[in-house]
Amino acid sequence: MKSIIYYISIIWIALTIQGCQNKSDKDTDHLVFRYNEFSSVQSLDPAFAKSMSIIWPCNQLFNSLVQLDDSLQVRPDLAKRWEVSSDALQYEFTLRNDVYFHKHGNFGPDSTRAVTSYDIAYSLERLQDPDLVSPGAWIMHNVDKIQVSNDSVLKIILKQPFPGFLGLMSMRYASVVPREIVEDKSIDFRVSPIGTGPFYVKYWQENVKLILRKNPLYFERDSAGVALPYLESIAISFLTDKQSGFLQFLQGNLDFLSGIDASYKDDILEGNGELKQKYQQEFKMVKGPYLNTEYIGFNLRDTLENKLTKDLREALNIGFDRQKMLVFLRNGLGISSIGGIIPKGLIGNFERQDNYNVDQAKLLVNKYKEQHNLSKVNLTLSMDASYTDIGQYLQREWQKIGVDVAIDILPSSTLRQSISSGKVEMFRASWIADYPDAQNYLSLFYSKNWPSNGPNYTRFSNAIFDELYTESLLNMDDSAKQRYYYQMDSIVRAQVPVIVLYYDQAVRFSSKKVYNLSINPMNNLFLKNVYKTK
């Protein structure tokens, strides 16, 4: 029988080891950035980066020809410079010569190689592969051809001018990937991606944990010449319950929390959207414009045009208090001083005071009833369950001006299909910018973009708007674009094919130890410049 001294020794050794591990974890904690992703990540292939849950990790793994700064200005990335032809059809890019792929055995004895123009051409053309079925294929629809001059120079030729083209090239869809890894049938690029970004995939257990490690080959440096990134690793967990994620953040197990959920918004925020006093010493909060316009759309196809007249649409537009809606339902998060469809943060946006006018709304509704010999006005608003509170608020407000609105709650997939097929009368929707140009929002009203050709789900049609839209595509100058965008947005405001509810805001919470965690109107997450203190 072993003596008690033996067991005491074993326990002491175990406790010593545990203590050393705890100390080691504490010593290296400042090198690890932890956040939770509430949605699942189906793929780490940038060709499928269609949601923020995929875009955020892919931002750490890949680079594109160009990148956007926090002001949404286009900056060099893989391309160190570019030139645009006078007819705005040809873009010639000159690449950096110091960008290398993450290490992998398929690259041969050196385990890596430099990125060339041929890689850019391959990556972009891959998006159009019908066997891949990439949701990002649309960014290449206006590309006529890609010409590679040599290892460091390539030219992209467009079918027609498009002012937002460089914005498209900054998207994760346009990331550079290596052919010899992608086309190796023994490698599942979805789970084992190889890119050029500041981090690479170290470990991934789907829906449990994703670990990214620092890429020692990364090419970018800070203003002092220090190599990026500063962090050694990124740890992403996958708790689906937002309340649990919030509690993990409060306990210090997460460094970052994005957005606000109904389950904890009243605990963390004041009614004016500011962080509550009890948390101000615990963590930091930053908020800013988010290129997301929340709106109610009207189905304006001919069979419904007589019912949803412009006067009735305008009555609904001015018949509710946006500011009160945001205070009561979103703790003040959002911008209620709306102009048109173009959100704050883009050229073409302008703000005005909230246009709430209940008396004028009642007059318009009464006029509508007289013209149509009606005693009541009945409409149906379709939405998914996540916006029930806003639907019920609008329902009560519109009842006050004489319009009875029934709320039809549909599954998200059914709602999207019904909107696209024109089976709904009114619908709640949002438009998050794919690229930072107001043309992205104005395309919702171009008559040639009716489903299934495009996103004009209201079936809006206006000859003057179409002419301005077409002309705007030929202008690259910001001041000229602003004039066109302002005119088009004015038409949309006057004709009311949609009711803009509010412009969204991005909000982020982070540990007091986290620095350089910026915020931007695209709500993108980049961690190459982030560092933590002990």
Side-chain angles (χ1 to χ4, degrees):
M1 178 180 287
K2 293 184 172 68
S3 69
I4 192 169
I5 295 175
Y6 173 83
Y7 289 106
I8 292 174
S9 299
I10 293 297
I11 293 171
W12 180 83
I13 291 170
L15 291 173
T16 301
I17 292 173
Q18 182 65 45
C20 291
Q21 288 176 337
N22 290 341
K23 183 177 184 299
S24 176
D25 289 344
K26 187 174 181 181
D27 288 343
T28 59
D29 180 72
H30 67 291
L31 299 176
V32 182
F33 186 89
R34 300 177 175 88
Y35 79 87
N36 183 68
E37 177 52 63
F38 298 107
S39 303
S40 62
V41 174
Q42 293 84 22
S43 174
L44 290 175
D45 184 338
F48 296 90
K50 63 179 181 178
S51 65
M52 283 301 180
S53 63
I54 302 174
I55 292 171
W56 280 8
C58 283
N59 282 341
Q60 324 314 322
L61 300 172
F62 298 96
N63 296 89
S64 303
L65 278 170
V66 295
Q67 59 185 321
L68 300 176
D69 64 19
D70 287 339
S71 299
L72 303 185
Q73 297 300 306
V74 178
R75 303 297 183 199
D77 196 4
L78 297 178
K80 60 184 178 181
R81 63 177 180 271
W82 55 88
E83 296 178 359
V84 184
S85 63
S86 58
D87 60 5
L89 288 175
Q90 299 184 31
Y91 289 72
E92 185 174 88
F93 298 91
T94 301
L95 305 187
R96 301 176 63 112
N97 60 7
D98 57 351
V99 181
Y100 293 84
F101 285 111
H102 300 153
K103 289 186 176 182
H104 194 280
N106 280 27
F107 291 127
D110 295 331
S111 298
T112 187
R113 67 168 177 80
V115 172
T116 71
S117 300
Y118 296 94
D119 295 309
I120 303 293
Y122 168 75
S123 302
L124 294 177
E125 290 169 350
R126 173 178 179 250
L127 295 175
Q128 298 175 297
D129 183 348
D131 293 330
L132 185 66
V133 196
S134 167
W138 63 271
I139 74 170
M140 297 295 290
H141 287 174
N142 193 37
V143 173
D144 184 28
K145 54 187 172 181
I146 300 175
Q147 297 176 342
V148 177
S149 302
N150 52 50
D151 281 355
S152 60
V153 178
L154 80 155
K155 185 180 294 184
I156 300 178
I157 302 171
L158 305 184
K159 298 173 183 175
Q160 62 181 11
F162 182 65
F165 177 69
L166 287 175
L168 293 182
M169 290 297 99
S170 74
M171 296 180 70
R172 274 291 63 85
Y173 290 135
S175 299
V176 64
V177 296
R179 180 194 293 265
E180 55 264 66
I181 309 297
V182 172
E183 297 186 356
D184 186 334
K185 300 300 183 182
S186 68
I187 298 172
D188 185 356
F189 199 74
R190 181 187 74 87
V191 299
S192 301
I194 294 294
T196 58
F199 297 89
Y200 66 91
V201 175
K202 178 66 175 179
Y203 172 82
W204 185 18
Q205 184 179 357
E206 293 188 50
N207 299 319
V208 178
K209 180 72 73 174
L210 173 60
I211 304 293
L212 310 181
R213 291 297 302 271
K214 178 178 181 176
N215 174 17
L217 303 176
Y218 194 59
F219 61 93
E220 285 193 276
R221 295 178 177 269
D222 65 14
S223 58
V226 177
L228 298 176
Y230 303 121
L231 296 165
E232 285 294 330
S233 63
I234 300 169
I236 306 170
S237 56
F238 293 90
L239 294 171
T240 57
D241 181 66
K242 294 192 175 182
Q243 181 68 27
S244 298
F246 175 58
L247 292 175
Q248 287 291 305
F249 176 71
L250 290 184
Q251 293 168 8
N253 297 323
L254 299 174
D255 297 303
F256 163 73
L257 185 69
S258 177
I260 193 80
D261 188 70
S263 64
Y264 56 80
K265 69 180 177 64
D266 293 329
D267 180 53
I268 198 171
L269 294 181
E270 301 285 2
N272 62 0
E274 297 302 318
L275 188 63
K276 284 193 173 181
Q277 182 69 35
K278 66 178 181 178
Y279 290 123
Q280 290 181 8
Q281 299 304 314
E282 300 295 323
F283 49 83
K284 298 181 283 189
M285 182 184 84
V286 60
K287 59 183 177 179
Y290 177 26
L291 298 187
N292 174 33
T293 298
E294 299 281 341
Y295 67 93
I296 301 294
F298 297 99
N299 187 339
L300 300 181
R301 63 181 183 179
D302 292 341
T303 55
L304 292 173
E305 181 63 33
N306 290 332
K307 183 176 183 181
L308 293 170
T309 65
K310 186 167 75 71
D311 280 349
L312 181 58
R313 302 195 302 266
E314 179 62 15
L316 298 173
N317 184 38
I318 64 176
F320 68 101
D321 190 332
R322 290 170 172 81
Q323 181 60 32
K324 186 169 71 172
M325 178 183 69
L326 291 180
V327 169
F328 290 146
L329 302 181
R330 288 181 52 84
N331 289 69
L333 286 180
I335 300 170
S336 62
S337 298
I338 54 95
I341 193 69
I342 303 171
K344 186 175 181 180
L346 289 180
I347 292 175
N349 165 266
F350 71 98
E351 288 184 41
R352 64 181 182 186
Q353 293 301 310
D354 191 4
N355 58 353
Y356 177 50
N357 189 332
V358 66
D359 292 332
Q360 179 63 21
K362 287 179 179 178
L363 289 174
L364 289 172
V365 171
N366 289 333
K367 175 184 174 183
Y368 176 85
K369 288 178 179 178
E370 291 175 3
Q371 289 176 338
H372 293 79
N373 193 27
L374 297 172
S375 59
K376 295 179 65 178
V377 180
N378 295 294
L379 300 174
T380 300
L381 173 60
S382 301
M383 59 175 54
D384 62 30
S386 62
Y387 281 83
T388 303
D389 55 351
I390 286 181
Q392 292 173 342
Y393 172 82
L394 293 172
Q395 185 182 50
R396 291 191 299 269
E397 292 291 291
W398 286 337
Q399 192 173 46
K400 296 174 185 177
I401 65 171
V403 179
D404 292 324
V405 177
I407 305 298
D408 183 22
I409 303 298
L410 299 173
S412 297
S413 58
T414 303
L415 178 64
R416 288 193 297 269
Q417 178 59 37
S418 297
I419 292 172
S420 181
S421 60
K423 294 180 180 178
V424 293
E425 186 173 60
M426 297 165 57
F427 55 90
R428 191 223 63 86
S430 61
W431 191 264
I432 301 174
D434 295 306
Y435 51 93
D437 194 292
Q439 187 272 344
N440 191 204
Y441 287 87
L442 296 168
S443 67
L444 295 174
F445 308 103
Y446 184 47
S447 66
K448 292 185 179 180
N449 282 343
W450 279 36
S452 59
N453 293 324
N456 185 350
Y457 300 115
T458 62
R459 279 75 175 172
F460 178 75
S461 181
N462 182 282
I464 297 176
F465 180 96
D466 286 351
E467 183 179 350
L468 291 168
Y469 183 89
T470 303
E471 291 176 2
S472 72
L473 297 177
L474 304 176
N475 284 272
M476 303 295 291
D477 178 69
D478 281 350
S479 60
K481 287 198 297 183
Q482 183 163 8
R483 289 194 298 273
Y484 278 110
Y485 294 166
Y486 182 90
Q487 288 177 280
M488 284 185 278
D489 212 15
S490 297
I491 293 172
V492 173
R493 291 195 314 275
Q495 297 300 316
V496 206
V498 297
I499 294 173
V500 176
L501 298 173
Y502 59 90
Y503 304 137
D504 207 354
Q505 285 183 303
V507 58
R508 293 180 173 181
F509 307 93
S510 62
S511 162
K512 290 279 188 177
K513 296 179 180 180
V514 173
Y515 292 87
N516 288 355
L517 184 63
S518 59
I519 193 168
N520 57 79
M522 295 290 288
N523 199 26
N524 251 320
L525 182 67
F526 293 97
L527 297 174
K528 60 189 176 186
N529 292 296
V530 169
Y531 68 93
K532 292 170 60 179
T533 57
K534 291 185 178 181

